[in-house]
Amino acid sequence: MADLYQAALAEIGDVFQRVDDANVEAAIAMIAEARRIAIHGVGREGLQMKGLAMRLFHLGLDVAVVGDMTTPYLGKGGLLIVSAGPGYFATIAGLMGVAREAGARVLLVTAQPKARCAEFADLVLHLPAQTMADDRSGRISVLPMGSLFEGAQYILFEAMILRLRDRLGVSPEKMRANHTNLE
């Protein structure tokens, strides 16, 4: 069993050897400058996106998850952050179009930076990890289907939160004070 853990950790580490830090910093700047943020992803990617939304909320940012009944209007000054690891989901492309038409900017997190959804993004955050789009060709991850991408999203997002926390001057105590007490 320990071999599986080590193999998975090594694969995630390899992803981050190939991440462009300047691209990540551009995404962090885009988030820091946004007046209002909406987030969406599908499937397990969507779960990682909800985790990002929660952490942005802990930082004190105005953030909502698309589909929640309290999601506000997103227009000029707003930012839509979406995930399409394999490069295209019809729902993601549709939301990107609506956001752009309303004047919001769009940040796409994907493993396929040249795929269709990238055409609609103001910034493409490339996370070079296996997804279900490429889990049958070439070198295959020890993790099933798109799990390598999803696991890398978790690490990426938590590291981005640390950078945002520093950039915005939010203390760990302030983040904790924004955590729910209704558990």
Side-chain angles (χ1 to χ4, degrees), residues 49-64:
M49 297 302 287
K50 286 179 179 180
L52 175 60
M54 177 185 278
R55 287 290 188 238
L56 293 174
F57 176 80
H58 292 155
L59 286 174
L61 299 179
D62 184 358
V63 61

Side-chain angles (χ1 to χ4, degrees), residues 6-128:
Q6 293 307 312
L9 289 171
E11 288 180 355
I12 290 173
D14 182 55
V15 168
F16 288 101
Q17 292 297 318
R18 297 179 285 134
V19 167
D20 178 351
D21 287 331
N23 187 231
V24 176
E25 287 298 323
I28 289 167
M30 186 179 261
I31 293 168
E33 295 164 4
R35 185 175 57 81
R36 177 177 284 161
I37 302 166
I39 290 182
H40 188 67
V42 299
R44 289 170 44 109
E45 290 180 37
L47 297 174
Q48 296 303 327
M49 297 302 287
K50 286 179 179 180
L52 175 60
M54 177 185 278
R55 287 290 188 238
L56 293 174
F57 176 80
H58 292 155
L59 286 174
L61 299 179
D62 184 358
V63 61
V65 175
V66 173
D68 286 352
M69 62 191 313
T70 56
T71 303
Y73 181 87
L74 192 68
K76 189 172 168 87
L79 175 64
L80 175 66
I81 307 174
V82 290
S83 178
Y88 181 80
F89 293 114
T91 53
I92 298 297
L95 289 170
M96 292 172 82
V98 170
R100 287 186 59 106
E101 188 172 305
R105 298 179 75 197
V106 177
L107 169 59
L108 170 67
V109 181
T110 185
Q112 305 293 332
K114 304 266 190 242
R116 284 176 54 195
C117 279
E119 299 171 21
F120 308 110
D122 292 290
L123 180 66
V124 175
L125 180 51
H126 180 212
L127 188 57

